[in-house]
Amino acid sequence: MAELARAAGVGVREVLGLALPGRSDRGNVRALLLGARIDTRNLEGFAETESLVLAGVGAAFVFRYGVLVLFGASAESERELIARLASHIVDPLAQPEVETASIEIRAEGEETVSADGHIRLREATRERLLLTATVLARSVVLGRDEGRIAEAFDRVEPLINDLRENGRAGMPIRRVMKNIGDVLSAQHRVVGRAQISEKPDLLWEHPALDRLYGRLEAEFELGDRARAMERKLEVIGDAAEWLLDLVQDKRSLRLELAVIVLIAFEVVLNLYQFWRL
């Protein structure tokens, strides 16, 4: 595996790259969500993307929000890179989430993205590969959180049904807080780390790639999926906060009843002592 020298400095970078061997003009693309985050400091062999020198479709990109994207990598190279990153992964997943596509370099014709995930580029430049990697990385993050949000809906729905049918919702406070935590965590990944709804900074320096990004973003439906997720997050968040208020009101009522009982006990005790005198 061809490697670059370690990136200078120990600062945190959002994305680092690595050139892989081979001069092929086509290959597979795999985006793997490995964990909540990847510490990009002091990664052996990875360098800043501006210094990458590529020869055809063969590259790896590591995104700080937990994703590894591979172009034209063999199964052996993939295993080796995952093992190299293992000590840098924060909260690793037991089984990585995977998004796949294929890529082809063809100098003539339009740069296109087909419905089956086949991406056609005019050149295998680092900017084009990085832009493609960014879209796939965001897509696999969305896929993971879409599943988690569906699970959150499944957890909240029985509680709402219980309230509708029985007029009460028996739920421990810790479980309510966990639901709120899941919502906040998903919002942080989508809006904060992965910045799904924002255009990549790369387009500011290379505006000619804006059309390619538009086609990639449209085919992988990043905007539509992000907006749908935001709406679902709002619904879950409102439901979780409402359930939390309900639980807190119930605890407040219990506390008030306990105070009343104590006051009543003290009154009875005082009356008893008075009559004994």
Side-chain angles (χ1 to χ4, degrees), residues 140-161:
V140 75
V141 169
L142 274 174
R144 169 71 172 176
D145 284 329
E146 284 167 343
R148 296 186 68 176
I149 288 174
E151 293 173 0
F153 262 107
D154 291 340
R155 290 196 299 268
V156 171
E157 184 178 5
L159 301 171
I160 296 176
N161 291 337

Side-chain angles (χ1 to χ4, degrees), residues 156-206:
V156 171
E157 184 178 5
L159 301 171
I160 296 176
N161 291 337
D162 187 29
L163 182 65
R164 182 189 63 193
E165 295 173 1
N166 304 317
R168 59 182 177 82
M171 183 178 189
I173 183 69
R174 183 172 298 179
R175 188 174 173 188
V176 175
M177 295 303 293
K178 186 178 185 304
N179 283 340
I180 294 177
D182 287 342
V183 172
L184 293 176
S185 177
Q187 286 178 324
H188 178 61
R189 278 190 301 273
V190 173
V191 179
R193 289 184 183 167
Q195 299 177 330
I196 303 293
S197 300
E198 300 180 17
K199 286 189 176 182
D201 293 340
L202 177 67
L203 295 179
W204 291 99
E205 301 173 4
H206 303 275

Side-chain angles (χ1 to χ4, degrees), residues 14-15 20 31 51 85 87 109-110 114-115 120 131 172 180 187 198 211 222 266 270 272 277:
E14 291 299 320
V15 57
L20 300 180
S51 63
L85 294 172
S87 61
E110 289 286 328
S114 64
R120 180 181 296 170
L131 191 64
I180 294 177
Q187 286 178 324
E198 300 180 17
R211 179 179 294 182
L222 296 187
E266 185 177 357
N270 289 334
Y272 174 74
L277 295 175

Side-chain angles (χ1 to χ4, degrees), residues 27-277:
N28 293 325
V29 188
R30 285 171 59 82
L32 299 96
L33 178 61
L34 303 177
R37 185 167 57 84
I38 297 176
D39 187 352
T40 56
R41 293 171 294 188
N42 298 321
L43 282 180
E44 288 288 341
F46 288 87
E48 297 184 8
T49 55
E50 294 84 355
S51 63
L52 285 179
V53 179
L54 303 178
V57 177
F61 295 96
V62 174
F63 293 84
R64 195 163 70 95
Y65 47 83
V67 181
L68 169 67
V69 180
L70 301 169
F71 291 85
S74 64
E76 181 181 356
S77 295
E78 180 177 315
R79 288 192 297 269
E80 180 183 336
L81 285 170
I82 292 175
R84 187 189 300 186
L85 294 172
S87 61
H88 298 268
I89 300 172
V90 179
D91 294 333
L93 299 179
Q95 185 67 32
E97 294 283 331
V98 182
E99 182 95 23
T100 61
S102 62
I103 192 167
E104 176 186 6
I105 307 302
R106 184 180 296 182
E108 69 278 1
E110 289 286 328
E111 294 183 305
T112 60
V113 186
S114 64
D116 60 355
H118 182 73
I119 302 166
R120 180 181 296 170
L121 303 179
R122 290 199 188 101
E123 301 175 84
T125 61
R126 60 173 176 260
E127 293 81 15
R128 282 175 166 81
L129 294 187
L130 176 56
L131 191 64
T132 303
T134 300
V135 170
L136 267 79
R138 292 178 174 184
S139 181
V140 75
V141 169
L142 274 174
R144 169 71 172 176
D145 284 329
E146 284 167 343
R148 296 186 68 176
I149 288 174
E151 293 173 0
F153 262 107
D154 291 340
R155 290 196 299 268
V156 171
E157 184 178 5
L159 301 171
I160 296 176
N161 291 337
D162 187 29
L163 182 65
R164 182 189 63 193
E165 295 173 1
N166 304 317
R168 59 182 177 82
M171 183 178 189
I173 183 69
R174 183 172 298 179
R175 188 174 173 188
V176 175
M177 295 303 293
K178 186 178 185 304
N179 283 340
I180 294 177
D182 287 342
V183 172
L184 293 176
S185 177
Q187 286 178 324
H188 178 61
R189 278 190 301 273
V190 173
V191 179
R193 289 184 183 167
Q195 299 177 330
I196 303 293
S197 300
E198 300 180 17
K199 286 189 176 182
D201 293 340
L202 177 67
L203 295 179
W204 291 99
E205 301 173 4
H206 303 275
L209 298 179
D210 191 75
R211 179 179 294 182
L212 173 61
Y213 173 75
R215 290 173 177 172
L216 288 166
E217 194 266 356
E219 187 55 46
F220 287 92
E221 300 179 331
L222 296 187
D224 292 341
R225 292 163 66 189
R227 285 187 290 272
M229 182 179 294
E230 288 172 1
R231 289 192 295 270
K232 291 178 180 179
L233 287 171
E234 289 177 1
V235 172
I236 296 174
D238 291 343
E241 290 179 7
W242 179 76
L243 288 169
L244 179 59
D245 290 340
L246 186 65
V247 172
Q248 289 177 333
D249 289 343
K250 184 185 295 185
R251 296 182 71 178
S252 297
L253 178 60
R254 289 176 179 174
L255 181 60
E256 291 173 0
L257 290 174
V259 171
I260 292 172
V261 170
L262 288 174
I263 293 174
F265 176 76
E266 185 177 357
V267 170
V268 171
L269 182 61
N270 289 334
L271 288 174
Y272 174 74
Q273 291 176 344
F274 174 79
W275 287 111
R276 287 192 62 183
L277 295 175

